[in-house]
Amino acid sequence: MGTPVALLGRSGPARERMREALSLIGARVVLEDEPGAIDARTLADAEPAAVLVALEPAIEDALEALEPVLNRPDVTVIFDEAELAARREGWDAQRWARHLAAKLHGHGDVLPPGAEQEPSWTPEPGLPVTPAELHSAQPVAPHLQAAAQALDEVPGDALFTASTLSLAPEEDVVVPVIERAHALLEPIDAPFADAPVDTPAPAPASALGDSSTWGLVEDVAIVERPRSEAQFDHLPDGGLSLVDLESAAATKAQGAVLVMAGIGGPDAIRRLLGALPAEFPRAVLIRMPLDGGQYGNLVRQMGRVSPLPVELAEAGLALAPGKAYILPDGVGLVIGEAGLSFAEGEGSAVLVPALPADDSAVLLLSGASEALVPDVLALAEQGAWVAGQSAEGCYDPAAAARLVQQGRPSGDPVQLAQSLAERWPG
């Protein structure tokens, strides 16, 4: 029997396409209805292993009532934009079905039947197989017998005599050999026997005197210096002055974590934000283009799973640490005396270069644009921490795979969140 799946969404083309995909991969639909027409008890009684949701603004409020089941650790929740699902046909629909099967069954095989396996860009643990391991199953007895037969024909070493190789007791063989070794070493050491030995000169007596005369500062009389400080008044100070370290530190802008995603990104972003600690001390910026521009809906969706407050970025707003921001179209970053703030810009092109490299991170998740890779790698060369989502379970890993090719780390969204928390502990 196939995996039990509950299909939630409004009646229409999107839900029909999802039902066809579930049938194609052999899943078993145990419940199909609109979220507003059922309650959490009805959903739980269906005992689904996964819940597939055709997401659109009209059902968001109804999903809140089902959260007791959707948040259960034994239930896999997969969101898909209803508008995109309704348009999938042909090869695109089959490709999405393969990715859906990979999520439901927990494997990374997303290729059509008969296709070659995609190369994995994720480094795997362990050492390469050694020649000894390759030939470990080969018999060695014939080689040992051949070596024993040829032993008498092997030339001997003229430096050794037969007596040193005899099987005498240890006290008869080892001790004479050591004595002969000392005899050989004596002529070598002899030329140096009469050489003068440099003896270090004794250290001068300390001007501080015996330690028994030492005492605390309060007990020691201050000795008046023979020279007056006025003698140094003529020396120029060169315009030197003390630096206010706190003011200098305040001028250094705090960095941020920039998360770039696209197709397949909502699920990855949900998992990333859900795994961050509530006391994470950096701002998290999320850039994921939406066809309908419904960024307010994305703010509400992510706010349900994120321990950090989620807000919509607006031009002129300064970044606050410990918050997550959804960046709509036309909003970029600018750095000023007060640090980073949002400004009107041309999308993601003004995001990466504006980040302070030594205190920032950039993550490329599923569907991120490959055009961002050069700027991201350039920021990494300046000290930023850069990583990509691993190919397993990733809908579109093209941009992240290019980072891995350049030696940058990768992982699933939860692992990336753990790495961020280790880099910036709360």
Side-chain angles (χ1 to χ4, degrees), residues 81 83-84 87 263 288-295 329:
E81 295 289 342
E83 184 179 355
L84 295 177
R87 296 200 304 260
I263 297 178
M288 188 183 71
L290 296 178
D291 292 339
Q294 300 293 331
Y295 292 101
D329 298 330

Side-chain angles (χ1 to χ4, degrees), residues 150-206:
L151 181 61
D152 296 336
E153 301 176 3
V154 177
D157 194 337
L159 295 179
F160 295 93
T161 61
S163 61
T164 60
L165 299 177
S166 61
L167 300 178
E170 182 178 355
E171 61 273 16
D172 296 336
V173 176
V174 178
V175 175
V177 170
I178 297 176
E179 293 176 352
R180 287 196 297 272
H182 283 296
L184 292 175
L185 291 176
E186 288 176 358
I188 298 177
D189 295 337
F192 302 95
D194 299 331
V197 179
D198 293 336
T199 303
S206 173

